[in-house]
Amino acid sequence: MITLTFSNKPKLAAEIAGYWHEWDSARSSQLDMWSEIDGYIHATDTSSLEGGEFFDHKTFIPVISEIHEDLIAIIFSTVFPHEDWLGWKGFDAKAIATEKRRKLTSLIKQVHSLNGFSSTFRKVIDDLVRYGNCFTKVAYVNETQQEEDETTSGYIGPKVTRISPYDIVFNPTLQEFDKAPKIIKSLISTGEFKEFVDSLGEESALTEEQLQGLLSRRAGGALDNSDRYKETQYIAAGYGSIDEYYNSGMIELMWFYGDIFDTETFEVHKGRCVVCVDGNTVVYESYQPKSTIFKGSWKPRPDNLWSQGPLDNLVGINYMINHRENSKNDSIDHFATPDRAYVGDVEEIYDEVTGQTKYIMPEGGSVQDITPDATVLTYDNQIQMHMEMARRAARIPQQLTGFRTSGEKTAFEVQNLNDGAFRGFINKAMQFEEDVVEKVVTAEIRVAKENFSTVISVLEEDEEGIISVLEVTEEDLSSNGKLVPFGARRFSRNLQQLAGLQNLTQGPLYQILGKHFNTYDLARVWESLNGFENYEVIKKFAAIDEAMEEQEATMLAQQEMEKTMSQPTAMEMEMDAGMMEEEDEF
């Protein structure tokens, strides 16, 4: 809960802008870290990085950039391994009905195929890996467009959008993000702002006079004293003065979400959404009972809601790797063209004909090359060691990216090492599922229910490719259950079960327990763990049935062949006809 002057709208807008700057300043060290991470991700050489000016060589080894790309790809493929990454969990007899599960899973699949869910979550995962914090919001959208007398069809329904970590602030000292008041900043054009106000209709908090004043300032209108005073109080981010902000043609909106305690009336206003502009004007204010803004974290801090990212610990390692690499390269250059020490009055003469350099030295004089210490050539081993250390620090096992760890191992040892290496990474993927994906899907169903207007028809394709139409009603959306993502959880469970299966079949224990196994059920376990259920690979005694079908097909083919062989050919029939004609002539 936050303390604001809720009943005084201009003062409310100014106080919201003040809280934005206060909470934004509280994360200044976090912003500096993000800037440095971005620099390492997109750098092409060390000239743009701190400490890169100390070497002649500017070689940059993109350790952080490579780990960043690997983590995005691996987390996405783990959380969303295939189309069936969602499962239905019902809490009563009616909710666990198969038909109910089919309708809701088919609905959410259709929604995700139309609202850009996959591309949005790639960006969200990028934020999680890059900054250690990611934010999403679920809202109901109507993307149909009206052009003259023609309406262009578009997506209508719940949609998840990404919120940039740079565009959201909150009180970082609270224990739970869901209960923390939040302010989201967005920058839109003047035309988009006018469309936004028009779409609010009667819900807009702007008077016609206030709207005209906001627009006229952007159209070159004169600024009054209050605007000049405001320049010391509020300037939109990215602009140097209030004149520059007004003349940019852009408008900065601040969206506040949370509970408000009114300092004038001493009333508590729960779940408010307040939109203000220019730090002095409230555009919109409404009641929002449940938050649809969700936060994902990589490494949460105990008393700070701003989490640490997987790449934060790697900046020093990447700097050291670049330092070693460029030190080595500079030393190699000195091996090729070493510095020289001259003792006495040495005269250097270059012979252009022979290409030789002659030195004329007095008695006791000398010329000697100064070569670097040869141990610098062993830096390659240290660089490789630090690169492996960086991948371990980011919780990314080498096995996940196709690299084999060194050393000879038995199959049992390999599986145990895989389980241990995956454990830390799977924990992060499951944390992302629980904190973001599960809440987003639940919010999509809730938003669809709140804006339900008519029966929704969704298409479902079964294992045989047959498409059927399912009708989802408002009652279906009110089921006592929820959709649960289990991509990472199933991945972790499958690893454990596959390890147990392999250890059993490859060890001596199978010889003892083999007579107690149901081989058909064992085959079904293998089918399930390897994800072949939809292909119906396993069927009881399928090989025997196929062998019988093969024998029947072979026998039918042989009979058909014998029958064909017993019939005269066309040439034989022509010869017989000719002989009969000759007999008739005689």
Side-chain angles (χ1 to χ4, degrees), residues 19-163:
Y19 270 109
W20 166 274
H21 291 292
E22 177 185 342
W23 290 339
D24 190 46
S25 300
R27 60 171 183 166
S28 57
S29 60
Q30 196 83 18
L31 296 177
D32 292 339
M33 174 59 72
W34 293 352
S35 178
E36 189 170 18
I37 291 293
D38 285 339
Y40 271 89
I41 290 177
H42 301 291
T44 55
D45 57 55
T46 59
S47 58
S48 60
L49 302 175
E50 183 179 355
E53 67 275 8
F54 299 123
F55 301 98
D56 294 334
H57 284 267
K58 306 297 180 183
T59 303
F60 174 72
I61 299 180
V63 178
I64 289 180
S65 180
E66 178 185 337
I67 293 177
H68 166 253
E69 294 292 334
D70 286 345
L71 280 175
I72 293 175
I74 296 169
I75 291 177
F76 190 88
S77 60
T78 302
V79 177
F80 309 110
H82 42 66
E83 291 185 356
D84 298 325
W85 56 270
L86 269 177
W88 173 253
K89 186 176 182 180
F91 300 125
D92 56 35
K94 188 176 181 180
I96 62 175
T98 304
E99 187 69 14
K100 192 77 65 176
R101 175 182 59 82
R102 288 177 56 206
K103 287 184 177 181
L104 289 175
T105 53
S106 298
L107 171 65
I108 207 67
K109 283 182 182 180
Q110 180 168 295
V111 166
H112 289 169
S113 66
L114 298 174
N115 67 4
F117 181 89
S118 178
S119 60
T120 299
F121 260 88
R122 287 187 185 276
K123 298 175 184 177
V124 172
I125 293 174
D126 186 1
D127 288 340
L128 177 68
V129 174
R130 189 184 294 252
Y131 306 122
N133 302 268
C134 62
F135 303 89
T136 59
K137 179 183 178 182
V138 178
Y140 189 82
V141 299
N142 185 344
E143 297 179 346
T144 57
Q145 297 180 357
Q146 185 74 31
E147 297 179 359
E148 296 181 354
D149 297 333
E150 182 180 355
T151 300
T152 305
S153 62
Y155 173 73
I156 302 176
K159 183 175 183 177
V160 56
T161 56
R162 164 190 173 264
I163 301 173

Side-chain angles (χ1 to χ4, degrees), residues 13 16-17 20 167-168 183-190 192-197 200 206 214 218 234 236-237 239 245 250-257 274-279 281-284:
I16 289 176
W20 166 274
D167 294 338
I168 182 171
I183 303 175
I184 300 174
K185 179 184 65 176
S186 62
L187 201 64
I188 61 176
S189 66
T190 306
E192 291 173 331
F193 174 73
K194 179 63 167 58
E195 290 180 348
F196 169 66
V197 174
L200 295 176
L206 281 177
L214 286 170
R218 271 77 183 177
Y234 171 79
Y239 298 97
Y245 167 53
M250 306 298 290
I251 295 181
E252 185 182 65
L253 297 180
M254 288 190 178
W255 300 68
F256 170 83
Y257 297 90
V274 182
V275 183
C276 57
V277 61
D278 290 355
T281 305
V282 173
V283 178
Y284 171 75

Side-chain angles (χ1 to χ4, degrees), residues 196-251:
F196 169 66
V197 174
D198 291 342
S199 68
L200 295 176
E202 297 180 355
E203 295 182 350
S204 174
L206 281 177
T207 64
E208 187 63 28
E209 183 181 357
Q210 288 175 320
L211 178 60
Q212 293 303 320
L214 286 170
L215 298 178
S216 63
R217 286 197 291 266
R218 271 77 183 177
L223 303 183
D224 54 26
N225 291 332
S226 63
D227 290 319
R228 293 302 178 190
Y229 173 75
K230 188 173 66 175
E231 185 164 2
T232 63
Q233 304 295 321
Y234 171 79
I235 298 178
Y239 298 97
S241 67
I242 201 69
D243 293 288
E244 184 181 344
Y245 167 53
Y246 284 155
N247 294 329
S248 68
M250 306 298 290
I251 295 181

